[in-house]
Amino acid sequence: MSVDFFNTPCSEKPRTDIKFGICDDQDGGKAYTDSKDDTKWAATVNNQHSRAITFTAIDHCMEIKKVGTKDQESTCDGMLTYAEGILFVELKDQKERGITTAKAQLENTLKLFLLYHKDIGYKHKKAYVCNLKHPTFKVIDNETQKRFFSKYGFRLDINTEILIK
């Protein structure tokens, strides 16, 4: 079964807001973007150049089954795409132990993404762990950063602020 991360009903219409949020109501539903109620935002997207950005919900929206089973793959909450960039986002509302789980979800999503989309021509490629309980809580050590980038070609960041370049 092939999975197309770009051609899916899970993609929202592109938005050009200078600032908007990514929300996860923690109710088993999919993540979504919002520009009106910043109290719901798990991550803030700063889009200073008003680029057209598309958010695609992955977890609780895209159907990606484990090979040979009916079980759903563990995936991150969503991805942001724009002309020069692709960003994967995992939203957490937990204590520090959530980092390990979030990183594993991002890694699994990237493995799946790269399996179905080998040649992606984006200049900016990042994977974000956004944790409301610890918005700026931990810096990822250089060795982990290097391993992650070497394996997936994406930079890993832990931050609730997502800057669109």
Side-chain angles (χ1 to χ4, degrees), residues 121-141:
Y122 291 102
K123 180 178 178 181
H124 304 288
K125 298 185 289 185
K126 263 188 146 176
Y128 281 90
V129 174
C130 303
N131 192 328
L132 278 172
K133 294 275 193 247
H134 299 279
T136 57
F137 59 103
K138 189 174 177 182
V139 175
I140 302 169
D141 65 79

Side-chain angles (χ1 to χ4, degrees), residues 133-159:
K133 294 275 193 247
H134 299 279
T136 57
F137 59 103
K138 189 174 177 182
V139 175
I140 302 169
D141 65 79
N142 285 339
E143 204 51 44
T144 302
Q145 286 272 17
K146 285 179 187 175
R147 260 193 316 267
F148 196 91
F149 184 78
S150 173
K151 195 169 188 177
Y152 305 107
F154 283 73
R155 301 208 180 282
L156 180 63
D157 196 0
I158 299 177
N159 202 330

Side-chain angles (χ1 to χ4, degrees), residues 37-48:
D37 185 0
D38 64 359
T39 63
K40 295 170 33 175
W41 299 359
T44 301
V45 179
N46 290 305
N47 182 20
Q48 297 172 358

Side-chain angles (χ1 to χ4, degrees), residues 75-125:
T75 56
C76 70
D77 289 299
M79 73 176 182
L80 295 164
T81 51
Y82 58 103
E84 293 183 350
I86 183 167
L87 314 169
F88 287 86
V89 181
E90 174 56 26
L91 307 170
K92 290 293 181 199
D93 191 7
Q94 301 176 354
K95 298 284 184 200
E96 194 151 327
R97 65 181 169 78
I99 298 169
T100 305
T101 305
K103 187 173 161 262
Q105 287 174 274
L106 284 166
E107 287 185 278
N108 197 51
T109 306
L110 288 173
K111 284 179 201 170
L112 294 164
F113 177 80
L114 294 170
L115 177 68
Y116 299 112
H117 303 285
K118 295 186 188 321
D119 299 318
I120 57 168
Y122 291 102
K123 180 178 178 181
H124 304 288
K125 298 185 289 185

Side-chain angles (χ1 to χ4, degrees), residues 30-83:
K30 67 182 180 176
Y32 60 94
T33 60
D34 173 79
S35 61
K36 293 179 174 60
D37 185 0
D38 64 359
T39 63
K40 295 170 33 175
W41 299 359
T44 301
V45 179
N46 290 305
N47 182 20
Q48 297 172 358
H49 302 291
S50 295
R51 300 192 191 286
I53 300 170
T54 300
F55 177 75
T56 301
I58 299 173
D59 195 23
H60 301 292
C61 193
M62 292 181 69
E63 193 165 302
I64 307 173
K65 302 289 186 191
K66 292 180 182 177
V67 177
T69 74
K70 293 181 180 183
D71 298 332
Q72 186 73 7
E73 285 279 4
S74 176
T75 56
C76 70
D77 289 299
M79 73 176 182
L80 295 164
T81 51
Y82 58 103

